[in-house]
Amino acid sequence: MVNEFINFEKISRQTWQNLHKKTTPPLTLEELDSIKSFNDKISLQDVTDVYLPLTNLIRIYKKSKEDLSFSKSLFLQEKFRNLPFIIGVSGSVAVGKSTTSRLLQILLSRTFKPARVELVTTDGFLFPNHILEEQGIMERKGFPESYDMESLLNFLDTLKNGGESPMPVYSHEVYDILPNQSQTIKAPDFLILEGINVFQNPQNHGLYISDYFDFSIYVDAEPDAIETWYLERFTKLLNLAKDQPTNFYHRFTQLPYLEASQVAKDTWKQINLPNLKQYIQPTRNRADLILHKDGNHNVDKIYLKK
């Protein structure tokens, strides 16, 4: 069997942190706490050791992309256009990819002043719940068939070519697309696209979302660790939803705690774990960089595509 990581350079955290000169992180601890997912763990030391070297690596990729685009414009005798640099971030539910994406948004905006950095999640391209119910795939929410991949590809194509595009708004409070609401994204300097499905084949076998990426990251951890983080997050979401009748999780607060906990365990085993093993994890070798976390949320290994 071919080693999945054969085309990657494995780098220890100690080696990685020495690839960037020691500087003060361009954000405060309060800012870091405000952007991390509430069940995630990340410190300013993590920013210095892991994410500042990553930002520097993205600078290298961005410069390379601009040089190539300029040379191609000369070859084609076209006017050079500086188009958005698109970064894809993938990984399992509850692995911490949202924290990574939000942190990158801040670091890039402060490193590449006055760059505009937009962050978009693929949740906005889930089919509305009523469509999932009509198609009988509500329990497959998050699996490839639950996304409007054609709309997502059109959205990326428009932005990649310097245009602006509307996109649906997804609410994590009600766990559904909000009807008659949209947000318009104008082509930024950087676009970070975060989602469990960003490396997956969109089922037309002609185009991948990742074809639009200039750099891509997969946030990785062992499934047992991710399950623990998922269950911890579920408990915290229950506490937040106690006094919020419209919150998706409020219904579970009406159950005895052990029953609610069993719902979370069943959801992990029947939905999230199969989705991870069948569709998400098999795509990680499409990333340019893999950030592997240990059981305490710390990035301990980095894999960089050769």
Side-chain angles (χ1 to χ4, degrees), residues 262-288:
Q262 191 59 49
V263 170
K265 292 175 182 177
D266 291 343
T267 300
W268 174 259
K269 291 179 181 177
Q270 297 169 15
I271 298 176
N272 292 320
L273 183 59
N275 196 12
L276 172 62
K277 289 189 172 182
Q278 295 172 28
Y279 297 104
I280 304 170
Q281 194 175 70
T283 69
R284 66 184 168 188
N285 62 354
R286 293 180 187 158
D288 294 303

Side-chain angles (χ1 to χ4, degrees), residues 213-231:
F213 295 160
D214 299 296
F215 189 76
S216 53
I217 301 164
Y218 185 94
V219 184
D220 196 22
E222 299 307 311
D224 287 348
I226 304 174
E227 178 182 7
T228 298
W229 303 339
Y230 174 79
L231 296 177

Side-chain angles (χ1 to χ4, degrees), residues 5-280:
F5 300 109
I6 193 170
N7 196 33
F8 287 85
E9 185 81 25
K10 182 180 178 181
I11 307 169
S12 69
R13 175 167 174 149
Q14 183 176 8
T15 299
W16 179 261
Q17 69 190 41
N18 291 325
L19 299 179
H20 184 268
K21 64 181 181 180
K22 295 295 182 287
T23 56
T24 302
L27 79 169
T28 65
L29 180 59
E30 290 74 22
E31 288 177 309
L32 184 61
D33 286 339
S34 72
I35 64 169
K36 73 178 181 181
S37 300
F38 55 69
N39 68 313
D40 207 353
K41 295 178 183 177
I42 189 168
S43 66
L44 287 176
Q45 192 64 51
D46 295 322
V47 177
T48 299
D49 291 352
V50 177
Y51 293 96
L52 289 184
L54 174 55
T55 303
N56 198 41
L57 180 64
I58 291 173
R59 182 196 297 275
I60 294 170
Y61 273 73
K62 186 174 189 297
K63 178 66 165 59
S64 177
K65 181 234 180 182
E66 289 171 350
D67 290 344
L68 177 59
S69 296
F70 181 72
S71 297
K72 285 169 68 176
S73 68
L74 290 178
F75 174 74
L76 296 170
Q77 299 179 19
E78 294 177 348
K79 183 179 178 181
F80 172 69
R81 293 191 301 157
N82 197 3
L83 299 173
F85 188 91
I86 300 182
I87 300 171
V89 180
S90 185
S92 171
V93 167
V95 79
K97 60 187 180 300
S98 296
T99 300
T100 293
S101 300
R102 288 192 289 262
L103 177 56
L104 273 179
Q105 184 180 27
I106 287 182
L107 294 180
L108 292 173
S109 65
R110 295 181 182 177
T111 301
F112 297 88
K113 294 179 180 178
R116 188 162 57 88
V117 186
E118 292 281 4
L119 171 58
V120 170
T121 72
T122 59
D123 293 339
F125 294 93
L126 282 161
F127 286 114
N129 288 351
H130 71 89
I131 292 180
L132 298 178
E133 289 168 354
E134 288 171 5
Q135 296 180 352
I137 56 172
M138 189 63 186
E139 292 189 356
R140 300 275 294 175
K141 190 172 184 177
F143 283 75
E145 63 268 29
S146 66
Y147 290 90
D148 185 351
M149 299 294 267
E150 183 177 353
S151 292
L152 177 53
L153 285 167
N154 289 336
F155 170 82
L156 281 176
D157 190 72
T158 299
L159 263 64
K160 189 70 172 180
N161 287 286
E164 59 181 68
S165 179
M167 62 169 289
V169 176
Y170 185 85
S171 168
H172 283 276
E173 181 177 336
V174 299
Y175 269 53
D176 199 0
I177 299 292
L178 297 178
N180 305 317
Q181 291 195 36
S182 67
Q183 61 182 117
T184 297
I185 306 296
K186 297 181 180 180
D189 300 288
F190 290 88
L191 174 69
I192 300 170
L193 182 70
E194 179 242 310
I196 60 177
N197 63 323
V198 299
F199 298 148
Q200 293 171 14
N201 189 330
Q203 297 159 19
N204 63 13
H205 302 285
L207 194 64
Y208 287 85
I209 301 171
S210 55
D211 289 337
Y212 289 95
F213 295 160
D214 299 296
F215 189 76
S216 53
I217 301 164
Y218 185 94
V219 184
D220 196 22
E222 299 307 311
D224 287 348
I226 304 174
E227 178 182 7
T228 298
W229 303 339
Y230 174 79
L231 296 177
E232 290 173 351
R233 185 177 76 174
F234 185 90
T235 299
K236 291 183 178 181
L237 286 169
L238 284 185
N239 291 331
L240 287 175
K242 284 180 180 177
D243 301 317
Q244 301 176 16
T246 60
N247 190 298
F248 174 81
Y249 284 88
H250 182 75
R251 70 196 71 182
F252 303 118
T253 67
Q254 310 305 301
L255 300 174
Y257 178 74
L258 289 179
E259 284 187 35
S261 296
Q262 191 59 49
V263 170
K265 292 175 182 177
D266 291 343
T267 300
W268 174 259
K269 291 179 181 177
Q270 297 169 15
I271 298 176
N272 292 320
L273 183 59
N275 196 12
L276 172 62
K277 289 189 172 182
Q278 295 172 28
Y279 297 104
I280 304 170

